[in-house]
Amino acid sequence: MIHTVLAFLGLAAGLALLMKGADIFVDAGVGIARKLRLSPVLIGLTIISMGTSIPELVISTTAALRGANDLAVANAVGANIFNLLFILGLAAMVHPMLVRFGEVSREFWLSTGAAVFLLAITLSGTAQIPRFAAIMMLVVYVAYIVFLVRQAPRTAPNEKTTQAEAAGNERKLSTYIGIAILAAVLIFLGGQLTVWAAGEMGPILGLSERVVGLTIVSIATSLPELIIILIACKRGENEMAVGTIVGSNIFNIMVVLGVSGAIVPLAVSTGTLVDLAVLVGGCVLFFIFVTTQKRLARWEGTIMAAVYLGYMGWLLVG
């Protein structure tokens, strides 16, 4: 009984540290980006999507180091499925989304291509994500970020910002960097606690590492994206909402699994092939919806959320 309580408390504490750390990191990252005069679009595609995905990175990397391959892979793949089907589906149910697909098409195809590549690698007969494939994903992601930085225009300092800096109300770049380091420490500690607790909870609940990663862990670590997307949709910033989800999904596969797989080749179970197929199918469904009507209507969002809930039910019952 005491062991069970400690596992649940450890999970709650670990996730709390992850969420708070990610929140602080995003704020610090945005501050750094503004100091460097980066554009809002670039901030959304890089700083925000990276910051909200740091919990997944820490958990999967820690799990890989401890030999918990199913948890490492399921955490990243499960977060992407949750982001794409449930978060965007729920957002459309709350507020129908007009989507200019052309503005996020490059990122969407990169995200979908990464999922297809991962599925193809795991179907190749090796039953693992080999180190060379993981390194390849990291190289492509770095090239993508360099391309974004080179293409995105810098924002000119406005009068209001200049006055705030002159009055000493704006934090210094070194302060933002220090805050980001503090946030990274919180995230690291949260990741250690979460992986330990998830490993303990599986046997208690009668669930495998894969199912724990696809449900409890991936959903919990995707809560920052859920909050950001709902706020963005309420404000009518649909492209930012879709861009954040797609950017996060790119990071989850290419960096989260890239770093984890570069450390140690990740064995992939048969069930993970099904999860990857669901992710690719979700990408196809989203593409059909946003390109036929140029929007994500309530009924379409309902279908996406229902598909996710059905998938979760199948996981838990099976």
Side-chain angles (χ1 to χ4, degrees), residues 45-117:
L45 286 172
T46 56
I47 300 296
I48 295 178
S49 62
M50 289 178 188
T52 56
S53 294
I54 284 180
E56 286 91 337
L57 174 60
V58 174
I59 288 175
S60 288
T61 302
T62 304
L65 287 171
R66 295 187 177 184
N69 288 346
D70 275 348
L71 178 59
V73 177
N75 173 51
V77 176
N80 278 19
I81 296 172
F82 182 76
N83 287 346
L84 183 65
L85 289 176
F86 189 78
I87 292 183
L88 285 182
L90 180 62
M93 289 168 63
V94 173
H95 193 284
M97 303 167 62
L98 294 174
V99 180
R100 298 181 183 90
F101 183 72
E103 296 189 14
V104 294
S105 61
R106 179 180 58 209
E107 284 70 31
F108 172 80
W109 289 121
L110 180 59
S111 173
T112 304
V116 171
F117 173 73

Side-chain angles (χ1 to χ4, degrees), residues 28-204:
V30 170
I32 293 171
R34 285 175 176 165
K35 282 291 184 181
L36 299 176
R37 310 297 183 194
L38 300 181
S39 68
V41 173
L42 185 58
I43 292 173
L45 286 172
T46 56
I47 300 296
I48 295 178
S49 62
M50 289 178 188
T52 56
S53 294
I54 284 180
E56 286 91 337
L57 174 60
V58 174
I59 288 175
S60 288
T61 302
T62 304
L65 287 171
R66 295 187 177 184
N69 288 346
D70 275 348
L71 178 59
V73 177
N75 173 51
V77 176
N80 278 19
I81 296 172
F82 182 76
N83 287 346
L84 183 65
L85 289 176
F86 189 78
I87 292 183
L88 285 182
L90 180 62
M93 289 168 63
V94 173
H95 193 284
M97 303 167 62
L98 294 174
V99 180
R100 298 181 183 90
F101 183 72
E103 296 189 14
V104 294
S105 61
R106 179 180 58 209
E107 284 70 31
F108 172 80
W109 289 121
L110 180 59
S111 173
T112 304
V116 171
F117 173 73
L118 198 58
L119 180 60
I121 285 293
T122 54
L123 283 172
S124 64
T126 59
Q128 68 172 6
I129 303 172
R131 186 171 280 113
F132 82 88
I135 294 173
M136 185 185 302
M137 291 191 292
L138 287 173
V139 170
V140 172
Y141 185 81
V142 171
Y144 161 70
I145 293 299
V146 170
F147 172 79
L148 281 183
V149 172
R150 290 174 65 90
Q151 293 295 314
R154 297 296 195 273
T155 58
N158 57 49
E159 184 179 348
K160 185 176 181 180
T161 301
T162 304
Q163 289 176 350
E165 291 176 348
N169 295 328
E170 191 74 12
R171 287 172 172 162
K172 296 180 180 179
L173 178 61
S174 58
T175 302
Y176 283 122
I177 293 174
I179 293 172
I181 293 173
L182 172 62
V185 172
L186 293 177
I187 290 168
F188 172 78
L189 294 175
Q192 294 288 327
L193 262 176
T194 301
V195 171
W196 170 81
E200 297 296 317
M201 286 179 63
I204 293 172

Side-chain angles (χ1 to χ4, degrees), residues 83-101 104 228-246 286 289-291 293-302 304:
N83 287 346
L84 183 65
L85 289 176
F86 189 78
I87 292 183
L88 285 182
L90 180 62
M93 289 168 63
V94 173
H95 193 284
M97 303 167 62
L98 294 174
V99 180
R100 298 181 183 90
F101 183 72
V104 294
I228 289 172
I229 298 317
L230 291 177
I231 293 173
C233 290
K234 184 178 180 180
R235 294 176 179 175
E237 298 172 347
N238 296 330
E239 280 72 33
M240 175 190 160
V242 175
T244 298
I245 288 297
V246 174
F286 173 76
F289 285 161
V290 298
T291 54
Q293 301 292 331
K294 311 300 181 185
R295 66 198 297 267
L296 202 56
R298 279 196 175 91
W299 69 270
E300 293 169 327
T302 302
M304 292 171 66

Side-chain angles (χ1 to χ4, degrees), residues 2-27:
I2 295 177
H3 185 73
T4 302
V5 172
L6 286 176
F8 277 93
L9 289 176
L11 181 66
L15 291 173
L17 286 172
L18 283 169
M19 299 307 161
K20 188 61 179 176
D23 183 50
I24 295 173
F25 184 87
V26 169
D27 288 341

